[in-house]
Amino acid sequence: MDTHRYMNPLASELNAVLDGTVTGRLLSSLGRRLFFPRGIIAQSNEAKQLAPVKNATIGMAFHQGQPLILSAISDAMPTLTAKEKVTYAPTAGVEEVRKAWKDSLVKKNPSLKPEGITLPAAVPGVTAGIAFVADLFLDETSTIIASDPCWDNYSLIFTERRDAKVRGVPFFGTGPGLDLVAIEAAIREEAKTGAVRIIFNFPNNPSGYSPTRAETDALVGIIRKTAENGADILVICDDAYFGLFYEDDIYRESLFSRLADLHEKVLAVKIDGPTKEDYVWGLRVAFVTFGSPGLKPEHQDALGKKLLGAIRSSVSCANTPAQYLILKVLSDPRTAGEKQANYELLRGRYRAVKAFIATHPAHPKLSPMPFNSGYFMSFRCNGIDAESLRKKLLAEHGIGTIALGPGILRVAFAALEEEQIAEIYGTIYEAAGKH
Ligand SMILES: Cc1ncc(COP(=O)(O)O)c(C=O)c1O
């Protein structure tokens, strides 16, 4: 019997199966809370079977059936030295790799002041980085603001693993971009407790939106004002899809650039990595970087050691060959051109979706959420259940999409060929119209 104040029904189902067995009796409270969501990964697995050629579920970029891969990775993989292949990496990563990633951060975010941020620590993927930062800053007494909808793993990490509360705020209203009024209201309310914790993920999963320059100024202004009024603020920037910006008015740097030296009461964390930026989804390496004017060298050192404790006690260290491969990517003269070509390929797919929407009358049941970047776009479903539409698309048309709750259908256009897009979107519109 689960008496915890909150238990996901899927966890309760598993507990009911295990109750009365040795496993059930031995489970910890975290063990009781854990479950595997029927979300993105489960739906994506279904689509692999039923939608092999029209699979818009996956957060990877393919071309002609093959994943995109940079030459630096495919060439260097067989040539790594024994040291690069199998030695243990230091707990926070190979120093040379961490420095090279920091240099790349400053190149990609010219307004970032390198002396004001920590040396990025290597972790096994953005997911792990988020989990470690959650270990440091969230527990059953804390609340974190996240966009609603958001990447479904946030609730598994923050709610189930850390037992914290996620305050879902619709970051996107009915307007063309961010609902700054809703975001500010939520921050103001949390500030009454003395501390605000918030996660921003731009380009966003699932909406595919990144803030414009004006919206970035407004967000930074809200955070500055909150700090000036006395609250401590943790801002986590999940920059998994950094760089895939398809419109000119988007702010081209990470929000972290603007937050890292904003105010003594603001602690900014950038969690990013080559997973999507360098097309290496399965390599499993990413970086955690902190920035705050309040972080003096001794504080940086102490915070770094706290993070070391989180890494050491869970995964021990990140993958060594992956780190050396990233060093090769960063120093290979072919990388910039190849990344530009991949970007143009994905932007072509984005533009095909935009063109489809622009040339078709507004759909009565599907309204696109604002999107301008990243891998995805999502439809809000009006008067139609996203999950039953997803199932219909899969079973009757061999099209794989993701249903996020009853109200959102996510389409990963980055995983489709440009030539497929008009036909697939046409089928989605038609199927939804008849549903
Ligand atoms: C918003 C967001 N953050 C993090 C990740 C995961 O990144 P990684 O594969 O590096 O753990 C994803 C993608 O799957 C994502 O959509």
Side-chain angles (χ1 to χ4, degrees):
M1 176 64 191
D2 289 314
T3 52
H4 191 268
R5 67 186 158 84
Y6 165 80
M7 188 66 68
N8 186 287
L10 293 176
S12 294
E13 257 176 50
L14 301 176
N15 295 342
V17 174
L18 293 170
D19 278 345
T21 71
V22 60
T23 313
R25 289 190 294 277
L26 292 174
L27 280 175
S28 67
S29 56
L30 172 60
R32 291 195 78 76
R33 290 198 303 274
L34 286 176
F35 63 94
F36 190 67
R38 290 200 188 119
I40 295 169
I41 299 284
Q43 295 180 29
S44 191
N45 286 341
E46 257 183 82
K48 272 185 210 143
Q49 310 292 323
L50 296 170
V53 281
K54 296 176 185 172
N55 187 352
T57 63
I58 37 175
M60 287 191 278
F62 280 68
H63 186 41
Q64 294 167 349
Q66 292 301 316
L68 298 180
I69 183 165
L70 299 176
S71 302
I73 298 284
S74 44
D75 290 357
M77 217 164 229
T79 68
L80 291 180
T81 63
K83 179 184 155 213
E84 292 170 337
K85 277 182 184 140
V86 297
T87 57
Y88 275 130
T91 307
V94 176
E95 182 95 356
E96 209 187 340
V97 179
R98 300 173 65 193
K99 285 187 176 150
W101 190 258
K102 184 166 178 177
D103 289 347
S104 84
L105 285 188
V106 176
K107 258 192 220 127
K108 290 179 278 194
N109 299 275
S111 42
L112 202 53
K113 296 190 187 80
E115 58 286 357
I117 60 171
T118 57
L119 189 61
V123 293
V126 174
T127 310
I130 297 167
F132 297 150
V133 171
D135 283 350
L136 295 184
F137 297 106
L138 291 180
D139 59 26
E140 67 282 2
T141 65
S142 37
T143 296
I144 181 162
I145 299 172
S147 67
D148 177 16
C150 63
W151 185 39
D152 66 349
N153 213 4
Y154 288 165
S155 65
L156 202 56
I157 296 171
F158 301 143
T159 312
E160 266 64 44
R161 184 173 275 286
R162 297 301 310 146
D163 207 8
K165 190 165 164 247
V166 175
R167 177 177 185 144
V169 176
F171 279 15
F172 307 96
T174 47
L178 288 176
D179 186 343
L180 291 161
V181 174
I183 296 171
E184 182 167 18
I187 291 179
R188 208 183 302 131
E189 191 143 325
E190 286 302 321
K192 289 181 191 157
T193 67
V196 179
R197 294 168 175 84
I198 186 163
I199 185 162
F200 287 118
N201 160 229
F202 300 125
N204 183 256
N205 176 7
S207 70
Y209 191 76
S210 292
T212 61
R213 287 185 198 87
E215 286 172 329
T216 303
D217 288 345
L219 281 177
V220 172
I222 293 167
I223 291 163
R224 184 190 291 111
K225 194 165 78 186
T226 310
E228 284 168 356
N229 287 339
D232 291 319
I233 312 178
L234 173 76
V235 188
I236 303 174
C237 301
D238 173 348
D239 288 347
Y241 300 88
F242 181 82
L244 295 172
F245 304 127
Y246 307 128
E247 299 289 348
D248 291 339
D249 61 350
I250 298 174
Y251 179 62
R252 282 296 192 272
E253 297 188 29
S254 166
L255 255 186
F256 180 77
S257 289
R258 302 284 300 275
L259 300 173
D261 66 348
L262 186 68
H263 194 282
E264 297 240 333
K265 284 181 151 291
V266 177
L267 175 59
V269 194
K270 181 172 182 21
I271 309 175
D272 61 7
T275 311
K276 325 267 176 184
E277 284 190 48
D278 298 314
Y279 306 91
V280 290
W281 306 274
L283 272 192
R284 310 315 299 147
V285 65
F287 297 90
V288 175
T289 311
F290 296 100
S292 170
L295 273 185
K296 306 295 175 246
E298 66 274 24
H299 305 131
Q300 290 200 7
D301 185 54
L303 176 55
K305 288 188 177 131
K306 291 275 178 199
L307 182 60
L308 283 181
I311 298 171
R312 176 72 183 145
S313 61
S314 52
V315 294
S316 188
C317 62
N319 176 321
T320 305
Q323 295 186 50
Y324 282 107
L325 285 170
I326 294 318
L327 207 52
K328 317 264 180 211
V329 166
L330 292 173
S331 60
D332 193 310
R334 295 170 295 180
T335 298
E338 292 180 13
K339 282 180 69 171
Q340 180 64 23
N342 287 352
Y343 163 80
E344 283 168 18
L345 189 77
L346 299 187
R347 189 182 56 187
R349 296 171 185 180
Y350 161 80
R351 287 182 173 165
V353 178
K354 282 276 167 182
F356 177 91
I357 290 170
T359 52
H360 287 75
H363 195 282
K365 296 181 184 165
L366 298 176
S367 348
M369 295 178 71
F371 69 107
N372 56 12
S373 56
Y375 275 28
F376 313 106
M377 57 82 62
S378 286
F379 289 109
R380 284 188 206 285
C381 301
N382 319 307
I384 181 175
D385 176 53
E387 173 63 3
S388 65
L389 176 58
R390 176 188 82 86
K391 285 199 167 129
K392 178 174 175 169
L393 287 166
L394 197 58
E396 294 175 22
H397 305 282
I399 294 175
T401 54
I402 297 283
L404 296 165
I408 305 275
L409 188 79
R410 190 190 79 177
V411 186
F413 58 76
L416 301 173
E417 297 291 345
E418 188 177 328
E419 309 76 62
Q420 295 178 292
I421 283 175
E423 185 209 322
I424 289 176
Y425 275 75
T427 310
I428 294 174
Y429 266 31
E430 212 182 301
K434 288 191 196 141
H435 202 59

